[in-house]
Amino acid sequence: MEPQPTAAHAIETVFRLESPRVVAGVARIVRDVGIAEELAQDALVAALEKWPRDGVPDNPGAWLMATARHRAVDLVRRRETYARKLAEIGRDLETTAPFEEPADPDDIDDDLLRLVFTTCHPVLSPDARTALTLRLLGGLTTAEIARAHLVPEPTIAQRIVRAKRTLATKNIAFEVPYGPDREARLGSVLDVIYLIFNEGYAASAGDDWLRPGLCEDALRLARVLSSLMPKEPEVHALTSLLEFQASRAAARTGPDGAPVLLKDQNRRRWNRMLIARGIRALGRADATSTGAPGPYALQAAIAACHAHAYTYEETDWRTIVTLYGLLAARSPSPVVELNRAVAVSMADGPAEGLKLVDSLAAEPALRDYHLLPSVRGDLLARLGRTAEAREEFVRAAGLTGNERERALLLSRAAECAS
């Protein structure tokens, strides 16, 4: 009997939240991230068959983990080459509790941290590392990863398939590395954690503007890295940036789940404890830095400017413009330039910002990036050119994959029309 669409949707939502932990936990057994993902998918199929009939278990994450683990043990048992490993771990896995959260969230043995370092191994290209980790750790679909990278979906699909194959054929260990090897992988790990957080902070697709579970996982991993690598300024800087960003989460949506823009947010709802943590982490980044600030330190400093402003009008836009200029020199990208244009529009007026935005119109990477017409529409509206602004908001609405954001953009287009 086929499950009802609503039941299937609920099960898939649970799986999306739990799949990174399931994949990570199973990968520790089978030592192959591709097989681990397949076993996690098998657990999803089992849930789709059983939960609509028997009801959703009290702890669905534990159920999925137990199912995937048992299938992993069966797979290990069938492989003669894993006989020794089965003798060591197979019996324990079947007699102990199916799944528990790590006793210490900062434990070096955390499976999620093992997974992110494994998928960021140097044998993979930087693009492949990021795509695979977002797929396995972030639970993102191929389409969502493609939108995050501003590249075609088939390109991302090929990267993921090749990355899994490479890890398997090279027999890459499922571990957190030490010494120079850990440092060599650190840049990719930081980038992936940041991208996972961003997908949770402003979902590229779906019905919800926020996906808090992704933000929590990314922030937790950043904090773990800070404790593991206390002398790495960019680790502290990324942690600071995520603390600042996470502090705004409660104010970023209204009671109905609709997005609330930065200028309209009730800053009394910003989490001052997270802001304090962000300030401390930024201080640690400054204290451990021996040269020019890195890209995450600059972004954290920008976030700090917003955090220190108790009202939108008090924001130090001039400093933010300077910081974006440094960031553009340190890590050039069209998206950084677009953000700098917004800051310039606040410091020097919308006309100056519009000049910078128009200079980015021919950038191939921004061709299907919905925030380009969204920003342009906002600047045009501030200049009183409402008919042009409406067209830009409509165009942006057609490019975004997030339903909440599409509704907001169409609402802004309607305001321009009226």
Side-chain angles (χ1 to χ4, degrees):
M1 177 178 174
E2 290 292 325
Q4 295 297 315
T6 53
H9 178 74
I11 293 167
E12 289 170 5
T13 299
V14 169
F15 179 77
R16 184 160 183 152
L17 293 172
E18 298 293 341
S19 64
R21 291 181 178 84
V22 175
V23 171
V26 173
R28 181 156 52 88
I29 301 171
V30 298
R31 305 288 170 172
D32 185 309
V33 295
I35 293 174
E37 186 182 23
E38 292 175 5
L39 292 171
Q41 291 289 338
D42 287 345
L44 171 62
V45 172
L48 287 168
E49 292 174 352
K50 295 184 178 181
W51 292 5
R53 182 186 67 233
D54 303 335
V56 177
D58 293 336
N59 190 335
W63 191 98
L64 289 168
M65 179 65 83
T67 301
R69 273 185 165 181
H70 288 155
R71 296 185 183 216
V73 171
D74 289 341
L75 179 63
V76 171
R77 185 178 284 121
R78 289 195 301 268
R79 292 183 172 184
E80 292 182 359
T81 55
Y82 283 92
R84 180 181 300 176
K85 187 178 296 183
L86 176 62
E88 295 173 355
I89 68 172
R91 288 187 297 273
D92 290 341
L93 286 170
E94 290 188 316
T95 58
T96 56
F99 175 63
E100 294 179 358
E101 291 287 345
D104 180 356
D106 293 341
D107 194 339
I108 185 69
D109 293 328
D110 181 22
D111 286 337
L112 284 174
L113 195 59
R114 290 175 183 268
L115 179 59
V116 72
F117 268 100
T118 300
T119 55
C120 288
H121 196 281
V123 298
L124 303 178
S125 69
D127 288 340
R129 298 174 209 166
T130 303
L132 181 60
T133 309
L134 288 172
R135 179 78 179 94
L136 298 181
L137 187 73
L140 275 64
T141 66
T142 304
E144 289 169 344
I145 300 170
R147 278 192 287 271
H149 284 269
L150 307 178
V151 297
E153 187 174 341
T155 301
I156 294 296
Q158 291 174 2
R159 288 178 189 172
I160 293 172
V161 170
R162 290 171 183 166
K164 292 178 185 176
R165 185 182 303 127
T166 299
L167 290 177
T169 56
K170 297 288 185 180
N171 197 27
I172 300 302
F174 185 69
E175 64 183 7
V176 177
Y178 291 87
D181 190 19
R182 182 188 294 180
E183 295 176 6
R185 299 191 213 177
L186 182 59
S188 290
V189 170
L190 296 181
D191 290 345
V192 166
I193 291 174
Y194 185 46
L195 284 170
I196 291 172
F197 183 90
N198 278 347
E199 180 59 28
Y201 192 69
S204 61
D207 297 329
D208 297 320
W209 175 236
L210 296 175
R211 294 172 61 189
L214 290 180
C215 291
E216 291 168 4
D217 278 343
L219 184 52
R220 184 177 63 82
L221 287 169
R223 290 170 179 168
V224 170
L225 281 180
S226 289
S227 67
L228 292 176
M229 312 182 78
K231 296 181 180 180
E232 290 290 339
E234 278 292 85
V235 173
H236 296 305
L238 175 64
T239 304
S240 172
L241 174 60
L242 301 194
E243 300 280 12
F244 284 133
Q245 299 289 70
S247 72
R248 305 180 206 161
R252 295 189 72 244
T253 55
D256 60 349
V260 179
L261 300 177
L262 179 63
K263 66 183 178 65
D264 299 322
Q265 288 175 16
N266 179 358
R267 299 191 175 208
R268 288 175 294 182
R269 299 190 66 197
W270 287 9
N271 189 318
R272 292 291 155 185
M273 182 189 72
L274 292 180
I275 289 175
R277 293 184 66 125
I279 293 171
R280 287 195 296 271
L282 186 56
R284 287 191 289 271
D286 291 339
T288 55
S289 179
T290 57
Y296 287 116
L298 291 168
Q299 291 181 75
I302 292 168
C305 288
H306 291 294
H308 285 304
Y310 282 91
T311 67
Y312 187 72
E313 291 71 24
E314 295 176 25
T315 306
D316 186 356
W317 291 108
R318 187 65 59 191
T319 296
I320 292 176
V321 169
T322 300
L323 290 169
Y324 268 123
L326 294 172
L327 182 59
R330 181 70 171 77
S331 300
S333 100
V335 174
V336 171
E337 289 295 341
L338 182 61
N339 288 329
R340 188 170 75 88
V342 173
V344 167
S345 77
M346 298 305 300
D348 299 323
E352 294 301 314
L354 186 60
K355 291 178 185 177
L356 295 176
V357 170
D358 286 344
S359 71
L360 298 171
E363 285 286 347
L366 298 181
R367 183 179 58 188
D368 297 323
Y369 189 49
H370 71 284
L371 291 182
L372 178 64
S374 175
V375 168
R376 192 168 190 274
D378 182 70
L379 298 177
L380 289 167
R382 288 166 58 190
L383 289 168
R385 295 160 60 179
T386 53
E388 296 170 82
R390 179 185 177 279
E391 293 178 2
E392 293 297 311
F393 286 132
V394 170
R395 186 160 76 92
L399 292 174
T400 183
N402 185 276
E403 294 301 323
R404 294 287 188 178
E405 193 169 23
R406 180 179 291 112
L408 173 65
L409 290 166
L410 292 176
S411 174
R412 298 200 71 188
E415 290 174 3
C416 291
S418 63

